[in-house]
Amino acid sequence: MSDYVKDLMAEVKAKHPAQPEFHQAVQEVAESLSLVLERHPEYKSARILERIIEPERVIIFRVPWVDDQGEIHINIGYRIEMNSAIGPYKGGLRFHPSVNLGILKFLAFEQVFKNSLTSLPMGGGKGGSDFDPKGKSDLKIMRFCQAFMSELFRHIGPNTDVPAGDIGVGGREIGYLFGQYKKLRNEFTGVLTGKGLNWGGSLIRPEATGYGAVYFAAEMLTTRNQTLEGKICLVSGSGNVAQYTVEKILDLGGKVVTLSDSNGYIYDEEGINKEKLNFIMELKNVRRGRIKEYVDKYKKAVYTPLDDNMDHNPLWDHKAHCAFPSATQNEINAKDALNLVNNGVYVVSEGANMPTTIDGVNIFLDKKILYGPGKAANAGGVSVSGLEMSQNSQRLPWTREEVDARLSLIMKNIHKTCVDMSNRFGTPGNYVNGANIGGFLKVADAMIDQGVV
Ligand code: NDP
Ligand code: 2IT
């Protein structure tokens, strides 16, 4: 670690203690950027990185709500408006009991670089709540979403800050949030993305993150003159990103053998085909059940419970070629990374945000596998959110084919940016440096142009 990164990290940790995920995200970016700052002292003297790591604004609010039994609940709501140098704040909302300021700051920080890589005019933000939607009725979810939006509506707008989904926030939640925003503002605008198709949503938005992560993996494979055809793939999670990752892997001729949720994972040696995927989509999106039920229907598959005290995740300990972590942060530690590499995995495309610990990332880089970090590989979701904003502004929906073609082109361009930037700064094959530097330069130049604000 250079002295610059050491000093910066000491300052970040002193100013913002107890935010380990934020520290991790900043450290990874700072290490890549030390290559840039050596060659471009103008960014250092303008203190661009020091400015980027402080959110432009953090909003924290009380979310009191009454459930269907008349009981009162109090949750915490957040919106981190991280950076608006290249466009309105843009990024998802996460509803999960683990949500806290540090986790949302790491997500908002990553989002700044990711959104810049998409080449669309979007700044970075993130928000959410410690509310746990799991097992709650639609009525409870609606009441919470309305209470959450009763404060958030003051801070967002189609040209100011445009939230979307993330863990625990899908089409249902976006609908309730949008309804409440519209009522409070008395205006129908593209203030949220991931909307329903008949009220301003874009085709391919639900599919976009998963499809994009697979397009990114396919691009990485082309650098070795290979395709996904016949490749065995490990996928974690079983939510939005995981489901459409599986769908696209199948389209491109790959075989998926795992999926998970926070309680456990399934291993299906025969492969999860389209029919099995349809079962999972109905199980997860309609019945909102657990992945364990898969083995009740497909008896040759094996279910293994997972718990937080395990020193590694056995999902990553199967013979395969590719891995698509699509659940949550830090789901691959150093031991998992070694298991993956030792089992033959040489392509990792991150659908989740920061799913690999720093030690795990270093193993992938040392072993020179094709490792696509989340801020590049999972940028397809926010890219199609950006396309949804364009369609809303035009008041003109585009066809499925048009949106998918644009998504595929954006992912190709992000891949090219990563390759070009990693080459330019002397670390060929290192997509981490490529993504961090590529994302940084555009934001940094915009910040210099706009003065010290
Ligand atoms: P969903 O809520 O649809 O699904 C999340 C999945 O991950 C579920 O299977 C969930 O299991 C599992 N999971 C969540 N938290 C944990 C945890 N702490 N430990 C183990 N498993 C967990 O979310 P998404 O699919 O939208 O998001 C998945 C990842 O992709 C996240 O990292 C998100 O930030 C990232 N992402 C999402 C984008 C999007 O457009 N939605 C865009 C870019 C990145 P369970 O049901 O048991 O909680
Ligand atoms: O992490 C992410 O990029 C998202 N959750 C999607 C953000 C968005 O605005 O579509």
Side-chain angles (χ1 to χ4, degrees):
M1 212 191 283
S2 70
D3 284 347
Y4 172 74
V5 177
K6 258 189 225 150
D7 293 347
L8 181 86
M9 290 314 302
E11 200 179 319
V12 171
K13 287 178 185 174
K15 262 197 202 169
H16 305 289
Q19 297 181 357
E21 294 85 1
F22 179 59
H23 304 159
Q24 179 183 338
V26 172
Q27 184 178 326
E28 187 213 279
V29 168
E31 283 183 6
S32 297
L33 294 184
S34 48
L35 301 168
V36 179
L37 300 178
E38 265 167 39
R39 279 196 215 172
H40 293 278
E42 67 274 19
Y43 295 132
K44 206 170 183 175
S45 56
R47 307 204 68 197
I48 296 294
L49 184 55
E50 288 85 343
R51 281 198 257 162
I52 289 182
I53 61 186
E54 285 308 330
E56 290 178 14
R57 192 176 298 108
V58 174
I59 301 144
I60 304 185
F61 50 99
R62 178 173 67 198
V63 188
W65 58 283
V66 183
D67 71 18
D68 32 2
Q69 273 95 49
E71 213 176 303
I72 298 171
H73 301 265
I74 294 99
N75 287 100
I76 312 172
Y78 304 85
R79 187 71 185 166
I80 318 293
E81 297 185 335
M82 200 76 193
N83 193 293
S84 62
I86 61 169
Y89 309 107
K90 180 84 196 88
L93 296 171
R94 176 176 291 192
F95 292 169
H96 193 274
S98 65
V99 161
N100 59 38
L101 183 59
I103 288 184
L104 293 180
K105 277 177 64 186
F106 116 64
L107 289 161
F109 180 76
E110 293 278 293
Q111 199 82 43
V112 173
F113 300 87
K114 184 195 304 190
N115 293 3
S116 164
L117 283 168
T118 67
S119 73
L120 301 172
M122 299 182 289
K126 199 88 188 187
S129 175
D130 60 351
F131 172 72
D132 186 0
K134 212 173 286 171
K136 294 207 169 55
S137 66
D138 288 355
L139 182 60
K140 281 198 178 81
I141 302 284
M142 182 178 81
R143 288 191 168 167
F144 174 78
C145 288
Q146 290 178 342
F148 182 82
M149 188 52 87
S150 299
E151 174 60 33
L152 188 68
F153 86 100
R154 289 175 225 291
H155 310 286
I156 62 175
N159 297 308
T160 312
D161 184 351
V162 183
D166 192 78
I167 291 176
V169 179
R172 172 181 60 172
E173 291 74 18
I174 294 292
Y176 295 145
L177 291 164
F178 183 78
Q180 184 72 354
Y181 180 88
K182 183 164 62 73
K183 183 180 170 80
L184 293 169
R185 283 261 196 226
N186 192 25
E187 63 180 33
F188 194 114
T189 53
V191 66
L192 292 160
T193 59
K195 298 186 290 300
L197 278 182
N198 48 11
W199 44 276
S202 175
L203 287 159
I204 303 283
R205 176 61 189 89
E207 293 88 339
T209 311
Y211 280 17
V214 180
Y215 291 150
F216 196 85
E219 277 305 297
M220 292 198 291
L221 277 163
T222 58
T223 65
R224 299 193 183 176
N225 296 318
Q226 294 182 27
T227 68
L228 272 161
E229 179 80 41
K231 300 285 185 299
I232 298 176
C233 302
L234 308 176
V235 179
S236 65
S238 50
N240 172 265
V241 178
Q243 292 170 16
Y244 290 102
T245 295
V246 177
E247 184 167 287
K248 188 49 76 178
I249 292 170
L250 296 181
D251 285 348
L252 299 185
K255 177 175 169 181
V256 179
V257 292
T258 60
L259 278 172
S260 65
D261 60 26
S262 52
N263 297 114
Y265 83 97
I266 54 118
Y267 177 71
D268 185 344
E269 198 174 1
E270 288 181 348
I272 299 166
N273 59 20
K274 281 260 155 104
E275 180 235 308
K276 294 171 178 175
L277 176 61
N278 286 338
F279 169 80
I280 287 162
M281 287 183 168
E282 200 265 336
L283 169 71
K284 284 286 167 184
N285 308 344
V286 182
R287 286 193 283 131
R288 300 185 188 271
R290 309 305 296 158
I291 198 74
K292 189 175 191 294
E293 293 173 47
Y294 183 92
V295 297
D296 298 335
K297 184 156 168 77
Y298 302 107
K299 305 224 183 284
K300 286 192 190 151
V302 180
Y303 175 75
T304 308
L306 296 171
D307 83 68
D308 290 345
N309 299 320
M310 289 170 153
D311 69 344
H312 73 292
N313 181 342
L315 185 154
W316 306 121
D317 201 2
H318 292 278
K319 290 243 165 299
H321 305 105
C322 310
F324 293 85
S326 311
T328 193
Q329 63 272 2
N330 292 330
E331 53 171 315
I332 298 180
N333 64 20
K335 190 164 181 189
D336 297 317
L338 268 181
N339 283 339
L340 283 166
V341 173
N342 292 337
N343 276 306
V345 169
Y346 65 100
V347 180
V348 176
S349 187
E350 295 184 337
N353 283 305
M354 204 171 76
T356 311
T357 62
I358 289 192
D359 291 348
V361 170
N362 287 333
I363 289 167
F364 293 150
L365 295 177
D366 287 349
K367 302 283 182 187
K368 301 208 178 309
I369 68 162
L370 296 169
Y371 168 60
K375 62 172 79 67
N378 73 37
V382 76
S383 298
V384 175
S385 279
L387 301 179
E388 183 172 329
M389 290 165 74
S390 304
Q391 294 168 74
N392 292 163
S393 300
Q394 283 186 318
R395 299 192 189 280
L396 202 62
W398 302 343
T399 63
R400 191 177 167 87
E401 290 70 26
E402 176 161 9
V403 180
D404 197 24
R406 284 179 185 262
L407 168 64
S408 163
L409 185 63
I410 290 171
M411 296 314 295
K412 277 197 166 82
N413 285 336
I414 295 174
H415 179 268
K416 185 172 181 315
T417 301
C418 291
V419 169
D420 290 351
M421 288 297 161
S422 57
N423 288 342
R424 198 203 302 176
F425 287 88
T427 57
N430 184 326
Y431 288 86
V432 176
N433 287 342
N436 289 336
I437 296 170
F440 172 80
L441 289 177
K442 187 172 157 190
V443 175
D445 290 339
M447 288 174 73
I448 289 183
D449 290 347
Q450 293 170 24
V452 181
V453 286

